[in-house]
Amino acid sequence: MNKLLLSIYLAITFLLSACGGSSGDDKPASEPIPAPVISSFTASMSEITIGEEVKLTAVFSNGQGTIDLGIGNITSGGSKAVRPNNTTTYTLTVENAAGVKASTPLTIEIVPLRIIDIIHPRDDESVNDDTYIQLKVISHDPLRRVTAEVESHSAIISNRSTNNNNNDILVSGYLPLTSLPNGNYTLNIIAEDIFNITSTATKQITIDNLPVISIKAPQDDDFVNTQPLFDISCAEESSGDCQITIKHEDTILASSTNQLNQTIDLSNFSSEKVSLTIEVTNNTGQVATKIISLFVSEDAVNVTLVKKFTGDVLDFDGQRALIKEELTSNGLDVNELHIAELTTDNIESIDVPGLYRVKTSGAYLSVRGNYLTPRGAVFETEYNTSFDWNNNELYPLGATSPVQTAGDYAVFCVDDMLYRRTLSTQTNTVIDTDPRCTYDIANNGTIVASGIGHWGIRDTPGILLYKNDQPTLITNDSEQPVINKTGTAFLSVKIMHTGIGERYQMILHDGDNVLFESESALYGYGGQRDTNHPGKIKYKINNNWIIYASPVNFVSRSPSGEIKQRTSFTYDGRYGSPSLSLEALADNGDVMFSFGNKRYFSKADGQLTTLGASVGKSMYINDTWYLVVDNAIYTFTPAP
């Protein structure tokens, strides 16, 4: 090879080397490993309560995914279920084949209270007026309240039930949305526990109002005669007519378009309480409904509504009412007591202690135990513990027998002690250490008492009169005394056993002498006294007027001694037959009573008026007759 060719060869070799060329013996370089990528690491819930399950979901590429804290491997798009007991941060790590890693954290917070879901209203339904609200709440501690709000309208949702399997609480109730125009709104729910921890949730709702029903007459719970005038109209937010229909169950009683003004025959419901349904239908088919209850009287009676309250009336003194309201607090049913003035909106709240529930005998005036007093009220609880709410302070009286009150005094037994309490000074005086704990008390503090007698826990019939705190044994053979307001006379019953049953005799006594003894009459059968039997004796005294009844008719005696049988009902002698109940005696001898399912008014001259259904209870206060039915107070004016 000459020098020229050698030079060319060396130059080419140099150039190839400089350009990165290689000989056929070199291997190609490997491709790079892509880095791991985490697209998302999410949880089905970011806040949970202890014990709830939450799902962790990871989406990633270019590697193997792992969640720490022992959760382990996870595939892209897969999920893992966890139940943390504390606020916990989970870390997702994705590592490729080259050992390169990518990580991202996710924190699940433990909260004591959470609204799980707003079930009602549903997403596809419109709402109006009283809107039904239902939601699920899970709470570690007892709930204090759940509130629903739409703009300025709010309500506490109080009905609750617990699902033990899921450990959640179903809360429901109604939110009034009256006066809000049609449109879209935000429903806000606020749940609060006893430690003031809150949880909130929202939902978009649509209001589509029902036609509006306007009832001018009669009003709910009115007393009416058998031919009452109905005055009802309807209005629609959008243009168009509406149809008014009045029904009793499935029977249409009347109908009209836009305005109904007509008399309806209710003679089939005479002396009954009847419920009527008023329906209004607009031109789009929406139906608004109201139900009213009426007390239908046989005779033309003058009964006027005085006032309605939100709770039941336990006692009434002509100016104030003792009101009991049923509420739910921390998942428990509790009572609230109020003293409400009739002529004003003043309400005095009574502190009912803790979990105590007020003891009552139904949804109207209770038997002994719950009374208004000049300085507040005395009330009895279901644990038989009584309290004196006195001048805005609460005084426990102990586990008492039913408390009786009159004027400035109260009387009750605790264990083997008979006490008279002076309400104005909050002082108790021991009247007797071996008491007869069936008693009554007059406005001046005079007490009359007897043993339970033939049918009770004591075998000590006889009457003791406690006047000036000194006991005087009046008689050994009568019992169950009631005393007049002035403490000048009392009425009791004498029971006499015979071979065919028992006979009774009424005794009127002034503390020194017997003023009157009635003729004896048969009551009870086979020597048995059954307090559910119509033979049970009833009697009252007022201003030395006395009335007494058994089994189904009653007799009155005037202060001058005139005796008159005031009723003539028939008793067929069968168990469960209607019985007569004496409700109230006026100081002029007028009487309100019920027989079977009807209430009657008997004037002292014997004139009888049928008022209607025997619901609620009557009272005679300061020359005025009152009827108390559930949460309403009425006056009754007798015909001349």
Side-chain angles (χ1 to χ4, degrees), residues 357-426:
R357 287 179 53 82
V358 178
K359 187 175 183 179
T360 59
S361 62
Y364 47 84
L365 295 179
S366 70
V367 293
R368 297 184 303 174
N370 303 304
Y371 290 106
L372 288 166
T373 68
R375 303 175 65 85
V378 169
F379 62 94
E380 182 181 358
T381 71
E382 292 181 351
Y383 300 103
N384 293 325
T385 300
S386 297
F387 296 88
D388 175 19
W389 176 252
N390 193 311
N391 200 24
N392 292 314
E393 291 189 31
L394 191 67
Y395 298 88
L397 302 180
T400 70
S401 56
V403 179
Q404 284 276 47
T405 64
D408 190 36
Y409 301 98
V411 60
F412 54 89
C413 282
V414 177
D415 297 327
D416 289 329
M417 299 284 190
L418 176 66
Y419 292 92
R420 186 185 63 207
R421 180 173 179 82
T422 304
L423 299 170
S424 58
T425 59
Q426 300 93 44

Side-chain angles (χ1 to χ4, degrees), residues 21-28:
S22 63
S23 64
D25 296 333
D26 294 335
K27 295 181 179 180

Side-chain angles (χ1 to χ4, degrees), residues 102-138:
S103 298
T104 187
L106 176 62
T107 299
I108 306 299
E109 184 178 357
I110 298 296
V111 295
L113 171 65
R114 186 173 72 84
I115 297 175
I116 300 174
D117 183 29
I118 301 176
I119 303 171
H120 287 283
R122 297 188 305 270
D123 294 333
D124 59 347
E125 71 174 325
S126 299
V127 300
N128 46 67
D129 295 338
D130 286 339
T131 297
Y132 180 62
I133 307 293
Q134 187 183 58
L135 60 140
K136 281 186 178 180
V137 180
I138 188 166

Side-chain angles (χ1 to χ4, degrees), residues 150-200:
V150 173
E151 294 195 347
S152 61
H153 297 248
S154 66
I156 295 176
I157 310 302
S158 59
N159 296 323
R160 304 174 191 178
S161 61
T162 302
N163 185 336
N164 293 323
N165 293 329
N166 297 329
N167 197 31
D168 53 52
I169 304 169
L170 194 64
V171 185
S172 61
Y174 288 87
L175 172 62
L177 296 177
T178 306
S179 79
L180 285 178
N182 293 347
N184 297 321
Y185 297 85
T186 299
L187 169 66
N188 298 294
I189 304 292
I190 305 99
E192 181 182 355
D193 68 15
I194 60 173
F195 297 109
N196 300 321
I197 302 298
T198 61
S199 177
T200 61

Side-chain angles (χ1 to χ4, degrees), residues 541-611:
I541 181 172
N542 188 358
N543 193 31
N544 285 1
W545 273 92
I546 65 171
I547 54 175
Y548 52 96
S550 181
V552 294
N553 290 296
F554 80 90
V555 174
S556 67
R557 180 185 184 273
S558 70
S560 63
E562 180 186 3
I563 297 174
K564 180 183 294 185
Q565 180 170 323
R566 302 272 284 270
T567 57
S568 55
F569 297 115
T570 301
Y571 170 55
D572 60 16
R574 294 180 300 172
Y575 182 83
S577 298
S579 61
L580 187 145
S581 175
L582 298 173
E583 294 185 2
L585 169 63
D587 53 12
N588 63 358
D590 292 348
V591 177
M592 194 83 75
F593 70 96
S594 61
F595 177 71
N597 62 351
K598 296 182 181 181
R599 172 176 283 114
Y600 299 88
F601 176 75
S602 171
K603 298 196 73 172
D605 61 8
Q607 180 182 342
L608 198 64
T609 301
T610 305
L611 270 70

Side-chain angles (χ1 to χ4, degrees), residues 516-537:
F516 167 71
E517 290 183 343
S518 72
E519 293 183 3
S520 66
L522 182 68
Y523 111 104
Y525 300 92
Q528 300 296 317
R529 177 167 183 170
D530 184 350
T531 57
N532 294 316
H533 196 279
K536 183 181 179 183
I537 304 166

